[in-house]
């Protein structure tokens, strides 16, 4: 296994599974590290050049990893439990942060990854976490999001989406079915993890596109209503579910400003 703190790519083992990672920018010993948590169909490779741009914009190291079932990481048995995001936040993220080896981290998540970041910050006593950046988070289901996920299933079953995912995921069926089957399960309609927000004890930056097809601004409003810490929000026009790609300049500027004011180095 490669040492996770070294710049480059490799694998770390957490809970008996190999997870791929990528580290760019300053080493963990040089200050806080931003830990990227990907979306429901993401992985290390699908962050594209965002980790490099984020490191350049903030002067901080950036660590991204692929959760089990994604990218080149080990698969996980199907079906995934309906609380898979809570389990990741509570059981896996601590081991990943141990592998990073940083004394200070900022959790930056997108979509499912944002939810995982918020749950970890709110439910796990972890003094290493100094800030949370949430892009297009989900705390409860909404009809618009479930409709978009159902449409993704149709695209996958038709073959086009599976073919695209196979370029980035060693086991695309594991990645897609695990995520999609959980979200479309009848019992998931009542899923709600908003109570995790109550326990967050570090500053929060919440980012969402006005055209997000997977969720409404009710998700951001829930953070503002429940949080007992400073919450800054960035709502972006001409932006869908992926602010880091639709409006990268605005996201990088906001993140850099937030970290310079809210996270001590």
């Amino acid at each position: 296994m490669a040492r996770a703190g070294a710049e480059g790519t490799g694998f770390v083992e957490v809970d008996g599974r190999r997870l791929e990672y990528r580290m760019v920018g300053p080493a963990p010993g040089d200050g806080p590290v931003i830990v990227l948590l990907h979306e429901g169909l993401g992985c290390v490779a699908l962050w594209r050049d965002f980790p490099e741009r984020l490191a350049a914009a903030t002067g901080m190291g950036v660590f991204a990893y692929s959760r089990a079932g994604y990218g080149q990481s080990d698969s996980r048995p199907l079906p995934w439990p309906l609380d898979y995001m809570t389990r990741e936040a509570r059981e896996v993220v601590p081991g990943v942060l141990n592998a990073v080896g940083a004394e200070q981290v900022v959790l930056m998540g997108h979509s499912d990854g944002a939810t995982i970041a918020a749950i970890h910050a709110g439910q796990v006593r972890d003094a290493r976490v100094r800030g949370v950046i949430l892009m297009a988070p989900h705390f409860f289901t909404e009809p618009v999001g479930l409709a978009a996920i159902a449409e993704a299933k149709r695209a996958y079953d038709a073959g086009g989406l599976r073919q695209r995912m196979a370029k980035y995921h060693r086991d695309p069926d594991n990645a897609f079915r695990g995520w999609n089957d959980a979200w479309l399960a009848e019992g998931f309609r009542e899923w709600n993890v908003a109570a995790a927000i109550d326990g967050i004890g570090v500053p929060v930056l919440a980012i969402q596109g006005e055209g997000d097809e997977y969720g409404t601004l009710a998700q951001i409003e829930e953070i503002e209503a429940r949080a007992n810490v400073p919450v800054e929000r960035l709502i972006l026009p001409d932006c869908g579910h992926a602010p880091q790609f639709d409006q990268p300049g605005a996201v990088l500027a906001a993140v850099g400003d937030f970290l310079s004011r809210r996270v001590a180095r």
Side-chain angles (χ1 to χ4, degrees), residues 23 26-35 58-62 102-106 128 130 259 263-265:
M23 178 78 200
D30 295 336
V33 172
I34 300 171
V35 176
T58 63
M60 295 169 60
V62 178
E103 294 183 0
Q104 300 179 50
V105 300
V106 175
R128 293 171 294 191
R130 303 302 176 89
L259 294 178
V263 178
R265 307 205 183 181

Side-chain angles (χ1 to χ4, degrees), residues 59-123:
M60 295 169 60
V62 178
F63 180 93
Y65 79 99
S66 296
R67 297 191 292 277
Y70 294 99
Q72 304 309 307
S73 294
D74 287 348
S75 298
R76 58 190 299 184
L78 296 173
W80 294 0
L82 301 192
D83 64 345
Y84 72 91
M85 285 178 274
T86 295
R87 295 191 187 200
E88 183 77 18
R90 296 179 63 88
E91 300 171 8
V92 181
V93 171
V96 171
L97 297 187
N98 290 341
V100 175
E103 294 183 0
Q104 300 179 50
V105 300
V106 175
L107 301 180
M108 182 172 182
H110 173 223
S111 193
D112 276 17
T115 305
I116 293 166
I119 294 172
H120 182 83
Q123 295 187 349

Side-chain angles (χ1 to χ4, degrees), residues 179-259:
W179 167 77
N180 195 261
D181 289 355
W183 272 89
L184 294 182
E186 186 63 31
F188 202 79
R189 292 181 179 275
E190 303 305 316
W191 174 81
N192 190 312
V193 295
I197 299 168
D198 302 348
I200 297 177
V202 295
V204 175
L205 172 61
I207 303 172
Q208 186 158 336
E210 289 183 349
D212 192 333
E213 62 272 32
Y214 283 90
T216 72
L217 293 182
Q219 306 288 338
I220 305 299
E221 292 164 358
E222 189 77 9
I223 302 171
E224 295 175 313
R226 302 188 72 128
N228 298 303
V229 293
V231 175
E232 300 181 19
R233 70 185 239 164
L234 175 66
I235 308 303
L236 294 165
D238 301 317
C239 181
H241 188 57
Q244 71 273 28
F245 301 132
D246 292 348
Q247 294 282 1
V251 169
L252 291 169
V255 170
D257 178 63
F258 172 77
L259 294 178

Side-chain angles (χ1 to χ4, degrees), residues 163-180:
Q163 186 176 18
R164 294 194 297 275
M165 287 185 61
K167 298 177 182 178
Y168 303 101
H169 301 278
R170 181 171 57 83
D171 188 346
D173 292 335
N174 192 247
F176 185 83
R177 299 299 180 194
W179 167 77
N180 195 261

